[in-house]
Amino acid sequence: MKKKSEGEIQLEICNWLSNQNLVFWRFRYMSRFPIKFLPRGLPDIMILYKGIFIGLEVKVPDYWKHTDKQILMGQEINKNGGYYYVTTSLGEAMEVLAIHAPDLTVV
């Protein structure tokens, strides 16, 4: 069976988040178009739920590596009251939401 790419996993998660009517956005940094005040290392998917910020860094299972900037950004998010996770599947993303949004019906 062909493994899913990072982009395919992100799309699967985003489609599910959209079906849940959650406030979220997907981020993709393109070094060809740097933005002056946009920090490096932002999570791929960012969710805002009832004042809770959840950052999901999506990686391919069995083959992933954090960059130093991603590690630092994750630490900053956690230090400032948000939650930062590395996820490798829709199922893992759903588990994260079940923890931080227990009143959300996860389907």
Side-chain angles (χ1 to χ4, degrees), residues 39-52:
R40 295 271 184 111
L42 287 174
D44 296 312
I45 300 170
M46 292 171 267
I47 304 161
L48 190 58
Y49 183 75
K50 294 186 177 183
I52 300 168

Side-chain angles (χ1 to χ4, degrees), residues 10 28 34 39-40 47 51-52 59 68 84 88 94 104:
Q10 289 174 4
R28 183 168 182 207
R40 295 271 184 111
I47 304 161
I52 300 168
K59 298 291 185 188
D68 291 342
Y84 177 89
T88 61
M94 291 170 75
L104 179 69

